[in-house]
Amino acid sequence: MMQGAVLVAIVASIGNLLQGWDNATIAGAVLYIKKEFKLETEPTIEGLIVAMSLIGATIITTFSGAVSDCIGRRPILILSSVLYFLSGLVMLWSPNVYILLLARLIDGFGIGLAVTLVPVYISETAPPEIRGLLNTLPQFSGSGGMFLSYCMVFGMSLMSSPDWRLMLGVLSIPSLVYLALTVFYLPESPRWLVSKGRMVEAKKILQRLRGREDVSGEMALLVEGLGVGSETSIEEYIIGPANELADDQGENADKEQITLYGPEEGLSWVARPVKGQSALGSALAVISRHGSMESQSNIPLMDPLVTLFGSVHEKLPEMGSMRSALFPNFGSMFSVAEQQPKTEQWDEESLQREGEDYASDAGGGDSDDNLQSPLLSRQTTSLEGKDIAPPHVGHGSVLSMRRNSSLMQGNAGESVSSMGIGGGWQLAWKWSEGEGADGKKEGGFKRIYLHQEGFPGSRRGSLVSLPGGEVPEDGEFVQAAALVSQPALFSKDLMEQRPVGPAMVHPSETAAKGPRWADLLEPGVRHALFVGVAIQILQQFAGINGVLYYTPQILEQAGVEVLLANIGISSDSASILISALTTLLMLPSIGIAMRLMDISGRRFLLLSTIPILIAALLVLVVANLVDIGTVAHAVLSTFSVIAYFCCFVMGFGPVPNILCAEIFPTRVRGVCIAICALTFWFGDIIVTYTLPVMLTSIGLAGVFGIYACVCVISLVFVFLKVPETKGMPLEVITEFFAVGAKQAAKK
């Protein structure tokens, strides 16, 4: 079912394969470049040859985020492949060091675009359940590219006169393949298309990516992702059969409960808010009362966001976050009963519409029992406008939404295979009416993300289970946490005109606003930027890229040529061969990380692998301070470096980019990713450019000692500040950041 999304992610990650190819090639080729240009006495120029691609990546990243938000993700990936191809040709020519530096700069442009946009592209096209796996593909592709490149460089190093120009120029061949695939195969990101109001295109691409016709639920989610910085609160609901929950309610029950329409005729369910849980502080206490989350919330300096996310993943311990245990047809319960089709396409091509027709209408008395999620119903036809009129419920209120689309339609009696919005979350809307202080009618339109808690119970006090997700028949109910916020298409301007229903705007009108720099100052976005920037800084100053770029020289200093001298391989070739084997060993480690990324989670992998990094670095420090003999020193250093690399690529390698691609709202995702990527490249430049000097001045022991200290700091930061995002829709993640930021501000 998800074959389309998987293939698209594989193709996109070729950009990272080319980056890994280039990193390894320059690491080997620089051994021969410095001999031809006599750079042995000029380590500054040697470092600049390597760092020039990083400078190029930094320069291009400054513009890439905002540009990708304007013109799309796909054109940026195409441009990246073109730059890779051109740089390979120029490096193949390179008559002098200055042309080589220019070629490395162009190469850096291609690398910068790929590294910045590939994780974003994959996150925006992947389903939540396997997003972590697919977003680990760039790490796997990068290491795979490094291995292939090291093998090529090793083969060339065995020649009598190795040609470094040919080593670097081969990059043009795979980049040409990448260019063809990006032009003829990769689709545009559906989230970006929705952000521009191009709904028809987005729906077709989403159907291709998901391998099914019914994508209305996810389309609705993408529309909701257009909002930035809305007021979000956490509420708790008890869900059960209408007659069961009604037994214990008073006369005001109808005003408080929300009716969920089931797929079976005559069967309805009710979601009733738990009293006293609307305040953020109380809600946080509710959702963190189970398991270890309660103790975590009392840890000094622990970010409430970490507790908030962690509590969600503890709700379904036996099922994880891969699906909802509530009902197999939960999505269809949020369907509506009647629809009268229109023939209008909901897209930017149909902007000629009357404003008075677009506003929704509602009638009836005061009511708070209209929870509508028509977006979750099955629809296999084209995007057409619909009028929706659910049956009278509660006080007889009828909610009619005009001029929406197949996004807003459904058949209450149709049994569907509900996909929800991923990760066990369901999307719904609530319209409530009442009288204001001036006696006039006032209304509120709220968007709700519902997530079942993992402790179903009965009003009789017995704990029950829901085997197979079957509907309970003996009065049992379940608890559901809810993120309640204003819909992305809600218009305060229209509300001031006091319509009788929810005032909605067209997605293309919302898209016309584009990204605003003021959105970066929203509490949730600022909080996410703090986490993203900090983890990128810590990743770089843990030293991985510096070590990788100079692996041949580092291993040469460690005396690794002793291991291979007896078989007649030169020290340069031996260093390159060891680098190839080291990279080869990374691939199974990344494979394990891919398997665990959506099961154990990002945070777990970081907390599990960083202590091993610290241990490996300390062993390296000791091995280089204590005289243990040449052969023993070479063996210990080599195995420690391999352990460091393998554990790094399981956690600290892929997770920062995955997190940064997940935690920002759609409208500012490109800009925020660019800010995080700039941090990445600045750190990369500093580490790479200073490593030769550091090796000369303080030696390997000093270098790895500094890296070990950074890893200790990283471990503390991850434990206190980095939340678990596995299996959650991107839009829900950004809502949690908004809630967590407000909670942190109250501390």
Side-chain angles (χ1 to χ4, degrees):
M1 292 292 290
M2 300 299 180
Q3 182 180 7
V6 173
L7 292 177
V8 162
I10 292 173
V11 171
S13 66
I14 295 176
N16 294 81
L17 182 146
L18 298 178
Q19 181 212 11
W21 180 288
D22 177 75
N23 286 350
T25 305
I26 194 63
V30 74
L31 298 172
Y32 305 101
I33 292 173
K34 66 180 182 181
K35 292 178 181 177
E36 178 173 331
F37 295 125
K38 298 179 173 55
L39 301 178
E40 288 88 347
T41 58
E42 297 185 53
T44 302
I45 299 297
E46 175 190 343
L48 191 60
I49 291 174
V50 176
M52 187 57 74
S53 64
L54 309 182
I55 295 171
T58 305
I59 294 172
I60 202 72
T61 299
T62 307
F63 311 101
S64 62
V67 172
S68 72
D69 283 338
C70 292
I71 69 173
R73 320 305 191 200
R74 180 172 172 268
I76 299 296
L77 295 180
I78 293 174
L79 179 59
S80 171
S81 63
V82 171
L83 291 169
Y84 273 129
F85 178 69
L86 291 177
S87 68
L89 294 181
V90 178
M91 284 188 288
L92 183 62
W93 172 49
S94 292
N96 55 55
V97 71
Y98 302 106
I99 298 297
L100 176 60
L101 290 174
L102 175 63
R104 298 291 299 158
L105 185 68
I106 298 172
D107 181 53
F109 290 159
I111 290 174
L113 294 178
V115 170
T116 304
L117 269 302
V118 168
V120 176
Y121 181 82
I122 293 177
S123 285
E124 292 186 342
T125 56
E129 292 82 0
I130 58 172
R131 188 178 62 239
L133 183 151
L134 295 184
N135 237 336
T136 313
L137 276 174
Q139 184 77 38
F140 187 87
S141 298
S143 295
M146 290 179 65
F147 172 70
L148 295 175
S149 177
Y150 273 130
C151 290
M152 178 197 71
V153 173
F154 173 72
M156 291 184 176
S157 71
L158 298 178
M159 300 177 182
S160 56
S161 57
D163 187 347
W164 60 264
R165 289 180 179 83
L166 186 59
M167 293 180 186
L168 297 175
V170 171
L171 177 69
S172 294
I173 298 175
S175 62
L176 197 58
V177 176
Y178 186 43
L179 174 61
L181 289 172
T182 52
V183 171
F184 297 110
Y185 182 75
L186 284 189
E188 183 53 86
S189 161
R191 277 182 167 85
W192 181 84
L193 289 171
V194 168
S195 75
K196 298 301 177 184
R198 294 159 62 176
M199 311 300 292
V200 174
E201 294 175 64
K203 181 183 179 184
K204 290 178 180 177
I205 291 174
L206 205 55
Q207 288 171 332
R208 167 186 163 188
L209 292 173
R210 299 296 179 261
R212 64 175 189 272
E213 291 293 315
D214 179 19
V215 293
S216 51
E218 193 165 355
M219 283 292 292
L221 178 68
L222 268 52
V223 171
E224 287 301 328
L226 299 178
V228 177
S230 57
E231 291 291 328
T232 304
S233 62
I234 302 177
E235 298 177 3
E236 188 176 28
Y237 288 84
I238 294 178
I239 300 178
N243 59 335
E244 295 290 345
L245 282 183
D247 289 346
D248 298 329
Q249 305 303 309
E251 295 180 358
N252 295 327
D254 285 343
K255 291 186 177 181
E256 299 173 350
Q257 69 190 26
I258 300 168
T259 301
L260 313 179
Y261 301 101
E264 295 84 2
E265 185 176 358
L267 176 64
S268 64
W269 294 75
V270 171
R272 177 170 56 84
V274 177
K275 289 290 187 181
Q277 301 304 336
S278 58
L280 183 58
S282 300
L284 187 60
V286 168
I287 64 172
S288 62
R289 68 180 179 272
H290 300 296
S292 63
M293 302 317 298
E294 183 174 2
S295 60
Q296 281 192 16
S297 64
N298 297 322
I299 297 176
L301 302 180
M302 173 68 78
D303 195 327
L305 193 66
V306 175
T307 306
L308 207 57
F309 274 88
S311 64
V312 172
H313 297 296
E314 286 201 352
K315 297 305 178 190
L316 301 173
E318 65 283 330
M319 300 184 67
S321 60
M322 300 301 287
R323 60 180 291 263
S324 172
L326 189 51
F327 311 115
N329 295 320
F330 197 23
S332 63
M333 292 185 179
F334 292 158
S335 301
V336 292
E338 301 175 37
Q339 53 181 332
Q340 294 83 30
K342 292 184 179 179
T343 57
E344 180 185 9
Q345 295 293 318
W346 192 24
D347 198 5
E348 61 179 1
E349 294 86 1
S350 59
L351 299 180
Q352 299 80 15
R353 58 190 185 280
E354 304 80 29
E356 64 274 9
D357 287 340
Y358 194 76
S360 302
D361 305 316
D366 298 340
S367 176
D368 190 29
D369 61 356
N370 298 306
L371 180 62
Q372 304 301 335
S373 181
L375 311 193
L376 297 183
S377 61
R378 181 183 298 277
Q379 176 60 268
T380 58
T381 59
S382 63
L383 250 57
E384 297 174 344
K386 299 292 175 182
D387 279 343
I388 298 172
H392 289 4
V393 290
H395 291 268
S397 169
V398 177
L399 174 64
S400 176
M401 294 183 179
R402 291 183 185 172
R403 286 184 165 275
N404 291 339
S405 68
S406 63
L407 291 182
M408 299 222 172
Q409 57 187 295
N411 297 304
E414 179 182 7
S415 179
V416 302
S417 176
S418 172
M419 297 299 290
I421 56 174
W425 290 87
Q426 303 291 335
L427 174 60
W429 289 264
K430 178 173 69 173
W431 170 250
S432 59
E433 289 182 342
E435 287 191 0
D438 55 2
K440 295 183 178 180
K441 281 193 174 183
E442 293 182 349
F445 196 42
K446 296 294 184 182
R447 190 255 5 267
I448 301 178
Y449 294 129
L450 278 171
H451 186 273
Q452 181 202 349
E453 295 186 356
F455 300 90
S458 167
R459 62 186 174 90
R460 301 178 181 84
S462 62
L463 290 176
V464 299
S465 60
L466 299 176
E470 295 179 357
V471 178
E473 299 176 354
D474 57 352
E476 296 140 356
F477 60 85
V478 294
Q479 291 177 306
L483 286 173
V484 183
S485 184
Q486 179 179 288
L489 302 184
F490 180 83
S491 172
K492 291 183 179 178
D493 295 336
L494 289 178
M495 281 302 294
E496 291 175 358
Q497 302 172 19
R498 295 190 178 279
V500 292
M504 307 289 283
V505 298
H506 193 275
S508 59
E509 294 180 1
T510 303
K513 300 176 183 178
R516 300 177 305 165
W517 291 103
D519 291 336
L520 299 181
L521 301 179
E522 291 290 341
V525 179
R526 280 191 284 118
H527 198 152
L529 276 173
F530 167 72
V531 172
V533 168
I535 199 168
Q536 292 286 4
I537 291 174
L538 292 171
Q539 184 208 47
Q540 284 305 305
F541 285 90
I544 181 64
N545 280 322
V547 176
L548 284 174
Y549 285 132
Y550 292 95
T551 294
Q553 285 118 306
I554 287 176
L555 294 177
E556 187 177 342
Q557 281 194 19
V560 75
E561 69 272 10
V562 175
L563 299 176
L564 299 170
N566 293 333
I567 59 175
I569 297 178
S570 67
S571 60
D572 287 346
S573 297
S575 297
I576 295 170
L577 179 59
I578 292 295
S579 296
L581 296 176
T582 302
T583 310
L584 178 61
L585 290 175
M586 291 182 190
L587 298 180
S589 302
I590 301 173
I592 295 172
M594 292 174 69
R595 180 74 178 93
L596 296 178
M597 197 64 71
D598 291 307
I599 298 176
S600 300
R602 293 83 157 125
R603 177 179 164 87
F604 172 83
L605 285 173
L606 287 175
L607 294 177
S608 301
T609 56
I610 292 178
I612 302 176
L613 295 183
I614 297 170
L617 291 168
L618 291 178
V619 170
L620 280 169
V621 171
V622 173
N624 283 277
L625 288 178
V626 179
D627 186 8
I628 56 175
T630 305
V631 175
H633 176 270
V635 171
L636 193 58
S637 295
T638 301
F639 277 103
S640 297
V641 169
I642 290 173
Y644 173 78
F645 285 160
C646 290
C647 289
F648 195 96
V649 298
M650 286 183 65
F652 226 163
V655 170
N657 283 340
I658 293 175
L659 278 175
C660 289
E662 293 176 331
I663 60 180
F664 301 114
T666 300
R667 189 175 294 169
V668 294
R669 185 172 291 126
V671 173
C672 292
I673 282 290
I675 293 173
C676 294
L678 277 174
T679 306
F680 172 92
W681 292 119
F682 275 123
D684 201 347
I685 290 171
I686 293 171
V687 170
T688 305
Y689 198 76
T690 58
L691 186 60
V693 179
M694 291 173 64
L695 285 173
T696 304
S697 58
I698 60 177
L700 276 172
V703 169
F704 286 115
I706 293 174
Y707 294 165
C709 293
V710 174
C711 286
V712 171
I713 297 172
S714 302
L715 184 64
V716 175
F717 177 80
V718 170
F719 179 73
L720 295 178
K721 302 295 181 183
V722 177
E724 180 55 73
T725 59
K726 66 176 181 179
M728 299 176 69
L730 299 182
E731 290 72 14
V732 175
I733 293 172
T734 59
E735 289 289 326
F736 266 107
F737 267 90
V739 174
K742 292 180 177 66
Q743 177 67 13
K746 292 183 178 182
K747 272 196 164 185

